[in-house]
């Protein structure tokens, strides 16, 4: 009876974790619609409001979950503050490129960036941490490299948007692991650090009448405030859901968001997607299939932390 109860409890936690993580990935997948809605606003102002309005939400969740002890300890640690400042800078780069790319109709490239991110993380693990790559992992990385080469030759330049998104987030995930606090506490610490320059910038814009928060329409005001929830809610859903799921499950689920973004870009935003693009994405999908298969075979591949878009 006790064993049956434990099994039911584990199944219940797994289902709850799956629903929480699925909610996070679906919200991330739909995020391009919101970024299109704010595309007429200055990029820096959008990023500033993403940061500032994320702080109260992240703080409220942390208090509700009674997880403030680690956060208070982190505030007293200069090393933790320094590392959080670095990860905050990296995620700011990731956010900025993501929002800008969608505003200028390069959403397909953002999807590609988040598709190749897990493979970039594998390479970072091998080069920096000395993790050994199996044959399947090497094959997956090689196919991704070929895909990037195909796009480079076709466009006459590197697909820099995809690469910056992938590498900035891989670096974020790598350094984020050095923070001795959980993901929700770390997120609050990062946005709190970023909120100092962000709030200063917002106050400057309002004082000089250059803002779209007070001086513009009520719609723009609502959109800017909404930047906080669309940033923090999916991340917090994932933070709680991931603890209840296996890494292999998360590893597969992480493709939901870029797939949705890709379909939205091509089918709804009507962005160009030619034969060469199809070849490159086909190579990426094969690479991801190999990567996923290697996880199910018990290879030690760790999915990256979810992109905080």
């Amino acid at each position: 009876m006790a064993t049956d109860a434990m099994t039911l409890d584990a199944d219940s936690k797994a289902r709850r974790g799956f629903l929480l993580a699925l909610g996070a990935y679906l919200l991330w997948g739909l995020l391009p619609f919101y970024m299109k809605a704010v595309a007429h606003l200055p990029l820096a102002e959008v990023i500033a409001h993403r940061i500032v309005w994320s702080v109260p939400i992240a703080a409220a969740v942390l208090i509700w979950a009674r997880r403030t002890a680690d956060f208070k300890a982190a505030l007293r640690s200069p090393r933790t503050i320094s590392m959080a400042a670095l990860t905050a800078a990296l995620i700011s780069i990731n956010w900025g490129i993501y929002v800008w790319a969608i505003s200028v109709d390069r959403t397909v490239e953002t999807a590609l960036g988040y598709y190749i991110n897990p493979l970039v993380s594998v390479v970072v693990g091998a080069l920096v941490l000395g993790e050994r790559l199996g044959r399947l992992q090497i094959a997956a990385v090689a196919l991704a490299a070929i895909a990037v080469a195909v796009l480079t030759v076709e466009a006459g330049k590197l697909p820099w948007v995809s690469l910056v998104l992938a590498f900035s987030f891989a670096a974020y995930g790598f350094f984020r692991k050095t923070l001795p606090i959980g993901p929700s506490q770390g997120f609050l610490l990062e946005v709190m650090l970023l909120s100092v320059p962000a709030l200063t910038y917002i106050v400057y814009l309002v004082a000089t009448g250059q803002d779209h928060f007070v001086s513009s329409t009520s719609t723009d005001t609502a959109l800017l405030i909404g930047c906080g929830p669309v940033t923090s809610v999916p991340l917090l859903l994932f933070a709680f859901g991931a603890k209840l799921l296996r890494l292999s499950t998360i590893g597969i689920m992480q493709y939901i968001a870029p797939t949705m973004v890709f379909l939205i870009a091509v089918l709804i935003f009507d962005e160009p997607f030619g034969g060469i693009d199809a070849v490159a994405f086909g190579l990426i999908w094969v690479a991801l299939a190999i990567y996923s298969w290697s996880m199910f075979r018990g290879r030690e591949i760790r999915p990256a932390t979810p992109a905080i878009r």
Side-chain angles (χ1 to χ4, degrees), residues 111-245:
L112 177 62
Y114 289 115
Y115 270 134
I116 66 176
N117 172 252
L119 303 176
V120 170
S121 296
V122 170
V123 173
V124 170
L127 295 178
V128 180
L129 301 178
E131 296 178 354
R132 294 182 60 187
L133 297 183
R135 286 178 295 179
L136 290 177
Q137 295 149 290
I138 293 173
V141 171
L143 285 174
I146 293 171
V148 170
V150 167
L151 290 173
T152 300
V153 171
E154 190 268 342
K157 58 183 179 180
L158 283 170
W160 69 269
V161 169
S162 304
L163 293 175
V164 170
L165 286 175
F167 279 92
S168 64
F169 191 70
Y172 171 79
F174 173 77
F175 288 109
R176 181 62 181 78
K177 289 180 181 180
T178 65
L179 289 180
I181 51 179
S184 54
Q185 297 98 317
F187 176 60
L188 176 57
L189 182 57
E190 288 165 349
V191 291
M192 280 188 64
L193 291 173
L194 290 171
S195 67
V196 175
L199 187 57
T200 301
Y201 179 64
I202 291 171
V203 170
Y204 166 77
L205 291 179
V206 172
T208 57
Q210 302 177 58
D211 69 294
H212 295 79
F213 181 65
V214 175
S215 305
S216 188
T217 65
S218 59
T219 300
D220 285 346
T221 301
L223 285 172
L224 288 171
I225 293 174
C227 286
V230 300
T231 299
S232 56
V233 170
L235 172 68
L236 295 169
L237 285 175
F238 183 90
F240 287 108
K243 291 186 176 182
L244 304 174
L245 292 174

Side-chain angles (χ1 to χ4, degrees), residues 35 43-44 46-47 50 89-111 113-114 159-169 308-309:
M35 293 299 102
L43 173 63
V46 171
I47 298 299
R50 286 191 77 173
L90 289 168
I91 205 60
S92 296
I93 294 171
N94 190 275
W95 282 354
I97 296 297
Y98 182 79
V99 175
W100 172 82
I102 292 176
S103 70
V104 295
D105 300 325
R106 299 176 72 165
T107 310
V108 169
E109 294 179 59
T110 70
Y114 289 115
W160 69 269
V161 169
S162 304
L163 293 175
V164 170
L165 286 175
F167 279 92
S168 64
F169 191 70
I308 308 175
R309 301 177 183 83

